[in-house]
Amino acid sequence: MFRNLKITCDQATTICDKNQYSEASIKDKIKLYIHLVACRICVKYTKQNTTLSNLYKGHSQYCKDLKHCLSEKDKEDLKALLEKNKE
């Protein structure tokens, strides 16, 4: 019965990645948690993956809040450069 719940580290990391994006099934989650009980390396991977994902989410929200616009002078300089290269 437990034989089909045993997974490799490669499979565990794949399920871990899916789990972070809410794409892992209940069966996958159970397999992952059973694997994590026995494998300290995958526990560390899971923690690092979670940390990186949280950092990225925070940074992406920061970037969304920034307004990325050229100033009028920059727009005019860019237009002049494009016109110059057209010739």
Side-chain angles (χ1 to χ4, degrees), residues 35-49:
H35 183 82
L36 293 178
V37 168
C39 184
R40 295 290 113 201
I41 294 170
C42 288
V43 169
K44 190 172 185 173
Y45 173 83
T46 302
K47 286 180 182 177
Q48 289 174 343
N49 198 16

Side-chain angles (χ1 to χ4, degrees), residues 78-87:
L78 185 57
K79 284 180 185 176
L81 183 64
L82 289 172
E83 289 297 323
K84 182 180 175 184
N85 286 337
K86 229 180 193 181
E87 298 170 355

Side-chain angles (χ1 to χ4, degrees), residues 18-65:
K18 284 183 180 179
N19 192 30
Q20 289 206 322
Y21 299 106
S22 303
E23 297 174 355
S25 67
I26 299 293
K27 186 177 178 182
D28 284 342
K29 289 178 184 180
I30 292 169
K31 288 179 182 181
L32 176 63
Y33 292 128
I34 290 172
H35 183 82
L36 293 178
V37 168
C39 184
R40 295 290 113 201
I41 294 170
C42 288
V43 169
K44 190 172 185 173
Y45 173 83
T46 302
K47 286 180 182 177
Q48 289 174 343
N49 198 16
T50 302
T51 302
L52 287 173
S53 292
N54 289 338
L55 284 172
Y56 176 74
K57 284 178 188 174
H59 182 71
S60 67
Q61 186 59 44
Y62 170 75
C63 287
K64 286 179 185 176
D65 293 341

